[in-house]
Amino acid sequence: MIDILSRAHAEALDREDPLASFRDRFYVQPGTIYMDGNSLGLLSKDTERRVHHALEDWKTLGIDGWLRADPAWFYLGEQLGARLAPMFGADPDEVIVTGTITVNLHQLIATFYEPVGNRRKIIATALDFPSDIYAMQAHVTRHGGDPEVDLVKVPSRDGRLIEEDDIIAAMTDEVALIVLPSVLYRSGQLLDMERITRAANERGIPIGWDCAHSAGAMSHKFSEWGVDFGVWCNYKYLNTGPGGVGALYVNRKHFGKQPGLPGWWGYNKERQFDMLHEFEAAPGAGGWQISTVPILSTAPLLGSLDIFEEAGIERVREKSLAATEYLMQLLEGGGLTGPEYGYGIGTPRDPARRSGHVAVEHAEGPRIARALKARGVVPDFRPPNVIRLAPIALYVSYVDVWDTVQHLKEIIETGEYLALAESREVVA
Ligand SMILES: *Cc1c(COP(=O)(O)O)cnc(C)c1O
């Protein structure tokens, strides 16, 4: 019997891991353990090849690349949307690769926030990512409302988690729109999207999900659940690079609705180049595009999807859950959550309630995050005290997880963090 807390056990888990071979397709820097793929995923060789190919097409084809590149640039957002759709339980034409989370949120709030009479409130949460809140505040204000009154931020009972019951209780007949994160970016809590969506549907309130921290970490069933719209980025778990283009979902029952922020790239493609001044939306999620598809920051998704289609999102989710569970087991089993070490776990233990990262809390969080980095482990830090660690299924091994916990242990034992600056860098 191997002691499950031993490094030998981690080695055994790696030997049995069906996804282990994918690691070699990513640029994992020697001597480092990359635990920050929930913030910026790593470059794969597949993706690098696709970007070089796009550059080559531009070099040789110039303007003709719009129709003659492989794949044709003109249809790239639609084609990649169709390839992403299965991970979201959507039809191919319900997903379009375009924009960024915040731009797409502005677009879809502008489309779906239609306050009338007393029905003017938007439901969000007190633990939302700030950009989402800025967008909602702006639309409330533009409709003559007061964000202090009309933006309902469902509070957290413990500062880490949001209870589904509290969200549903906030769904009064004064609510015009609900926009929620699928996963809370700090604690990693996964909300029960199906239950909340069904409750919104029963009350006739449109609901949209920001899936920044679930896209590429698990599968979704948007159409079956009755989700009205969704947004996500592709640069976190989907590894498309800094500022890589995001995506949006619109349920087909809304096809034909006028986009709140129309632009020429959302025009019916058959007639886009007729250059008419009367807007005619494309028949599908593509209608919500605004501007020209940025080929060089969209091409990475071709390589990313080559890998995900091969690995399978269900296997990715399975390994991710096993690795986050293992990380928490090692922290607890090794006594790190006791008073001697002072670490805490802010992420739900129930696998149905968490995504791909573990929130490791410590009063000395900023300095410990720095000490980890000095030891070659890349985490990130979110104030006030959360070190986020994401054992990414495709390129982090169980031995990496074991070693990370060992580093966390030694950092306290040596006290080396005490010599480091308490402040964090501009990008944390
Ligand atoms: C990462 C993240 C964003 C980032 O938005 P961009 O507009 O793509 O920069 C927004 N919302 C959430 C919840 C995020 O995690």
Side-chain angles (χ1 to χ4, degrees), residues 100-102 129 132 185 210 212-213 233 235-236:
T100 55
I101 291 184
T102 313
F129 191 85
D132 300 37
Y185 74 94
D210 176 347
H213 288 276
C233 55
Y235 54 74
K236 290 173 179 163

Side-chain angles (χ1 to χ4, degrees), residues 27-308:
Y27 287 101
V28 181
Q29 295 305 295
T32 69
I33 300 174
Y34 195 79
M35 298 294 262
D36 204 9
N38 57 315
S39 199
L40 179 66
L42 288 182
L43 175 66
S44 67
K45 291 165 192 170
D46 301 61
T47 291
E48 182 182 43
R49 254 195 314 277
R50 290 290 200 159
V51 175
H52 283 161
H53 187 86
L55 280 168
E56 204 56 36
D57 278 343
W58 176 26
K59 193 190 290 177
T60 57
L61 296 169
I63 188 79
D64 288 337
W66 287 108
L67 293 176
R68 287 182 38 221
D70 175 26
W73 301 336
F74 190 52
Y75 301 104
L76 191 60
E78 285 76 8
Q79 193 198 88
L80 284 168
R83 283 179 69 185
L84 271 174
M87 277 198 241
F88 292 87
D91 291 339
D93 57 350
E94 288 177 311
V95 177
I96 188 80
V97 169
T98 187
T100 55
I101 291 184
T102 313
V103 169
N104 291 338
L105 256 187
H106 275 296
Q107 168 68 297
L108 292 164
I109 296 171
T111 305
F112 287 94
Y113 180 51
E114 299 173 310
V116 275
N118 283 338
R119 200 182 263 276
R120 335 192 45 85
K121 294 191 192 300
I122 302 181
I123 293 181
T125 87
L127 300 181
D128 271 17
F129 191 85
S131 203
D132 300 37
I133 294 290
Y134 306 151
M136 289 182 251
Q137 287 170 336
H139 289 269
V140 166
T141 305
R142 291 178 65 82
H143 281 274
D146 176 359
E148 291 296 321
V149 176
D150 296 326
L151 182 57
V152 179
K153 293 195 271 181
V154 176
S156 165
R157 299 183 192 181
D158 67 353
R160 298 183 182 92
L161 311 179
I162 301 282
E163 298 304 319
E164 282 85 356
D165 287 341
D166 294 346
I167 295 173
I168 293 169
M171 296 181 189
T172 67
D173 55 14
E174 295 188 333
V175 177
L177 179 67
I178 302 169
V179 180
L180 295 170
S182 56
V183 174
L184 300 183
Y185 74 94
R186 202 184 279 113
S187 67
Q189 178 199 357
L190 170 65
L191 287 172
D192 185 339
M193 286 185 266
E194 177 174 11
R195 181 175 166 221
I196 294 168
T197 300
R198 290 196 195 283
N201 286 344
E202 282 163 15
R203 292 159 181 77
I205 309 170
I207 181 163
W209 289 97
D210 176 347
C211 293
H213 288 276
S214 58
M218 66 190 73
S219 61
H220 307 65
K221 295 199 172 78
F222 277 174
S223 297
E224 188 187 312
W225 297 337
V227 170
D228 292 288
F229 65 89
V231 297
W232 60 92
C233 55
N234 295 314
Y235 54 74
K236 290 173 179 163
Y237 289 92
L238 286 160
N239 311 314
T240 62
V245 172
L248 63 83
Y249 160 90
V250 177
N251 191 304
R252 64 184 326 102
K253 72 181 174 209
H254 299 301
F255 288 0
K257 198 172 167 61
Q258 176 76 5
L261 305 175
W264 82 308
W265 215 259
Y267 208 87
N268 184 329
K269 294 189 101 63
E270 301 293 312
R271 286 182 282 282
Q272 180 177 339
F273 278 82
D274 290 355
M275 302 303 213
L276 302 178
H277 281 187
E278 295 70 38
F279 183 73
E280 179 195 345
W288 278 266
Q289 292 170 98
I290 299 174
S291 293
T292 310
V293 52
I295 295 304
L296 298 181
S297 45
T298 303
L301 191 53
L302 290 162
S304 171
L305 288 174
D306 290 345
I307 287 183
F308 271 84

